[in-house]
Amino acid sequence: MPPRLKSRPSPALHPSSSVVISLIFLYFVLSVDAFQFLQPLPYSRRFLHRNLHLHRHLKAARTALPPSVVVPEHLALVLDGNGRWAQQRGLPRGAGHMEGTQRAFDVLKTCQALGIRTVTLYCLSTENWSRPQAEIIIILGCIENSLRANLEYAHKNRIRLVVIGQMHRLPLSLQALVTRAEAETAGYTQEDGMTVCLALSYGGRDDIVQACRALAKQVATGEVHPEEIDETLFESRLSTHQKGILRPPDLVVRTSGEQRWSNFMLFECAYSEFFVSEALWPDFRQENLLAALESYGRRRRRFGRVTECQPAAAATTEQQGGKADHGRV
């Protein structure tokens, strides 16, 4: 029998070398210089540590913005142009909705990396139900498949998911998925994640009518006196407040060059900034988003006043009529 060869142990790292390497790594992680490109953003330390995987993505996006630009806390996106994008390429309209679904996920990752706390996506309006049934089925299928596929990503990144709109009109399978997603992500906070609000079968007029009905019932039962109804009480009955979206959109971005409001958050957006992108939604890339954010950051929001105010993104403690800040949610 041949002699058994003894394996040579790998040379152990000298204890002092190990300590030096650990100290260098620790210094890099904790030093201000290592995160210098993050300084303009309203991050908490917990958020930074939970989102280290986004640093490269963030650095590429952040360096394209002027250092003085502060991103909005609540960004709303009106997703328009999916059908036209497909038609321009000789494809069925459903192909545009599929591509638009993937674009939404990409844009959300950029928003997350930039530290935007709340993003609302206007996915399906109450008026969209008048489209051909086949197209509606494709739209709802894309939404359901994307939500199901990315729910695990939401958990890993502590993203809270909420849905506003006429839930009863959605397919039962989508209703069940929404209920599950909202329940499972309800505990995630803005301190270490973000909130994504999907507007499905949503209409601003319908939301106002629902709020009026809720208050009318309370007046009828004596819970609320008519003279007690003011803007704050009325706003608390809107679906956004009911789902914990307490801050109105700071910036609303609409794609495809259309300049209509399209029945979106009519009450909440009274003093929101508006930006129109010529890009169709499936073509809406990071540079288009950064252009909108840069435009927003250069504006001055006066909320009806004439006194000198800070740039738009810095005016986070004032609302129309001098109301107090809605708070970070």
Side-chain angles (χ1 to χ4, degrees):
M1 176 180 291
R4 182 177 298 175
L5 297 177
K6 295 184 178 180
S7 59
R8 297 180 60 184
S10 301
L13 192 64
H14 194 277
S16 60
S17 301
S18 178
V19 171
V20 170
I21 292 174
S22 299
L23 289 175
I24 292 174
F25 177 79
L26 186 62
Y27 173 78
F28 175 78
V29 171
L30 298 180
S31 67
V32 175
D33 292 336
F35 295 108
Q36 187 174 6
F37 60 89
L38 294 176
Q39 294 309 306
L41 303 180
Y43 280 128
S44 68
R45 184 174 294 274
R46 233 164 87 194
F47 182 89
L48 289 177
H49 284 219
R50 288 187 180 276
N51 293 276
L52 288 172
H53 62 288
L54 291 171
H55 282 176
R56 288 185 181 178
H57 193 78
L58 182 146
K59 191 172 184 179
R62 190 63 200 174
T63 52
L65 284 175
S68 59
V69 172
V70 180
V71 297
E73 291 198 27
H74 185 176
L75 171 68
L77 294 160
V78 181
L79 320 183
D80 195 15
N82 290 339
R84 277 166 284 171
W85 181 90
Q87 290 174 333
Q88 288 176 3
R89 290 158 176 78
L91 301 171
R93 291 177 61 88
H97 296 303
M98 294 177 186
E99 183 68 21
T101 302
Q102 180 57 45
R103 183 65 53 237
F105 182 65
D106 295 340
V107 170
L108 283 175
K109 287 197 294 185
T110 300
C111 292
Q112 180 191 10
L114 287 170
I116 298 175
R117 302 295 188 164
T118 303
V119 179
T120 296
L121 302 178
Y122 195 15
C123 303
L124 182 71
S125 71
T126 50
E127 291 75 21
N128 288 152
W129 289 103
S130 62
R131 295 188 179 189
Q133 185 178 8
E135 183 173 353
I136 293 296
I137 292 174
I138 292 175
I139 293 174
L140 293 173
C142 288
I143 294 171
E144 182 171 349
N145 290 337
S146 179
L147 183 57
R148 193 181 306 278
N150 294 308
L151 186 55
E152 184 62 29
Y153 180 89
H155 283 300
K156 289 181 179 179
N157 293 272
R158 302 184 65 81
I159 296 175
R160 182 168 69 101
L161 297 171
V162 298
V163 173
I164 57 175
Q166 302 169 335
M167 279 279 290
H168 65 278
R169 299 186 70 176
L170 302 178
L172 293 179
S173 59
L174 182 53
Q175 291 184 39
L177 180 59
V178 166
T179 301
R180 172 192 162 197
E182 288 185 329
E184 290 183 0
T185 64
Y188 301 148
T189 68
Q190 296 287 23
E191 290 304 315
D192 54 2
M194 69 183 295
T195 295
V196 174
C197 174
L198 304 180
L200 301 179
S201 187
Y202 173 85
R205 288 179 175 178
D206 177 73
D207 204 27
I208 290 173
V209 169
Q210 297 302 322
C212 289
R213 287 176 178 168
L215 285 173
K217 290 179 181 179
Q218 289 186 300
V219 169
T221 59
E223 298 177 58
V224 174
H225 296 288
E227 57 273 12
E228 296 175 340
I229 300 176
D230 57 12
E231 291 184 17
T232 301
L233 182 60
F234 182 82
E235 191 174 27
S236 69
R237 300 303 187 270
L238 294 172
S239 62
T240 45
H241 268 235
Q242 294 293 311
K243 290 299 181 75
I245 309 296
L246 306 182
R247 184 183 185 86
D250 299 296
L251 173 65
V252 178
V253 176
R254 177 163 189 156
T255 58
S256 81
E258 300 291 350
Q259 301 188 35
R260 298 183 299 275
W261 210 258
S262 292
N263 199 16
F264 177 68
M265 289 191 179
L266 300 179
F267 188 92
E268 295 92 332
C269 290
Y271 272 86
S272 300
E273 297 293 320
F274 194 48
F275 183 89
V276 176
S277 174
E278 295 298 325
L280 301 175
W281 175 247
D283 288 330
F284 191 78
R285 298 295 194 270
Q286 179 174 288
E287 55 267 27
N288 303 111
L289 175 61
L290 297 179
L293 297 178
E294 183 175 354
S295 173
Y296 167 81
R298 296 180 185 276
R299 301 179 191 181
R300 293 185 176 274
R301 306 179 73 184
R302 294 183 294 273
F303 301 103
R305 301 176 181 177
V306 295
T307 54
E308 184 177 354
C309 295
Q310 297 175 333
T316 58
T317 58
E318 301 181 62
Q319 295 297 330
Q320 64 162 321
K323 290 198 299 182
D325 181 19
H326 287 269
R328 181 174 295 170
V329 298

